[in-house]
Each structure stands twice: as C-alpha cells, then as structure tokens.
Amino acid sequence: KLSEKQLISFFEMQNSKEHIAHFFICLADLVTQSYTLYLELDPNCKKESSKLEVELDHYLKTVNIEYASKVADQRLAPIKIVLLKNGTAELFRSHCIKKGQSEAQFKFLCLQLKTNIDFPFESYKL
C-alpha cells in the first residue's frame, strides 16, 4: 500500500531539518500484513526512533488514505522501525555485489517484498 516515493519524501523532509537517515530499506511482509523499515541513523542524529516511528506513521496516513484506512481497521499493522548498527548499509551493498549486482551501478529499491531480500537485517539491529 506504500510507495517508494512516499518513503523517500518523508526522509527528504526529515533530512532537510536534521540529517536522520544514513540508509533505509522498507520490507513488506505479505504474511503478517506489515511493513518493517530498517534504518541506519546518521551517527550525529539525536532523534529517538520511537518519535520517528510515530512521525513516519502519521506522515504516511496523511499522504496515503489507503494506508490510513487499512491501519485504522487493523488489516495492516502500523509501520515498524528497526534501527540498524552503523555499517549495515555497506554490508548490504557488499552482499548485493557478491550476488552479481554491478558495483559501479549499485542501486537498490528502498521498498521491497521481504521474500525478495536474503540479507539478514535482523542480525544487525541495535
């Protein structure tokens, strides 16, 4: 129910005030009907993850009425943020390159299905 553009615009808005995100990727889980946003904070970020999670959920409900509706009637869990250890972004990048992605043209989608990602983000949470 979310789009990459919505997630990117949230972090662009946040980063214009204070640099928040060093790296993020959001995984949609079709089994649990939920989104988990894995976030490596900028080392100088002072914002608490719980506050950021509330702000993100509010923003998504504002810009996406379908997301708001499904969360309101509990067909979709509110988005959850999992903080990652510093350096996780680089480990993910290396992982993708080892699997054949071009290093010179490294790009990834910041919103993907959980089943399409084989990197163990949960192993790198704070």
Side-chain angles (χ1 to χ4, degrees):
K1 303 305 168 200
L2 299 181
S3 74
E4 274 196 318
K5 183 178 179 181
Q6 292 164 344
L7 294 168
I8 291 168
S9 66
F10 173 77
F11 282 103
E12 285 175 344
M13 182 179 67
Q14 290 293 316
N15 285 342
S16 71
K17 301 172 195 169
E18 169 191 6
H19 193 69
I20 302 289
H22 178 70
F23 164 83
F24 71 90
I25 187 169
C26 187
L27 303 183
D29 188 329
L30 298 177
V31 175
T32 62
Q33 296 292 298
S34 64
Y35 291 97
T36 302
L37 187 130
Y38 294 94
L39 174 64
E40 184 177 335
L41 291 174
D42 182 274
N44 298 317
C45 177
K46 305 288 187 244
K47 190 167 275 203
E48 294 178 23
S49 64
S50 58
K51 183 175 180 181
L52 195 58
E53 192 171 71
V54 169
E55 290 173 1
L56 175 58
D57 184 61
H58 175 74
Y59 176 80
L60 294 173
K61 287 175 181 172
T62 302
V63 299
N64 186 324
I65 58 171
E66 189 172 357
Y67 172 83
S69 172
K70 292 192 182 305
V71 170
D73 65 14
Q74 298 180 342
R75 290 181 288 159
L76 180 66
I79 195 163
K80 177 182 166 194
I81 293 179
V82 173
L83 294 182
L84 298 171
K85 296 175 185 175
N86 287 338
T88 303
E90 186 54 39
L91 293 170
F92 176 62
R93 181 180 174 281
S94 296
H95 173 80
C96 292
I97 290 167
K98 285 178 188 171
K99 291 185 65 180
Q101 192 164 355
S102 168
E103 185 171 2
Q105 298 176 340
F106 178 75
K107 291 183 183 173
F108 71 96
L109 300 172
C110 66
L111 177 60
Q112 297 191 47
L113 288 174
K114 181 179 179 181
T115 55
N116 293 345
I117 299 293
D118 64 354
F119 184 80
F121 284 106
E122 289 290 324
S123 298
Y124 297 97
K125 67 183 180 179
L126 288 178

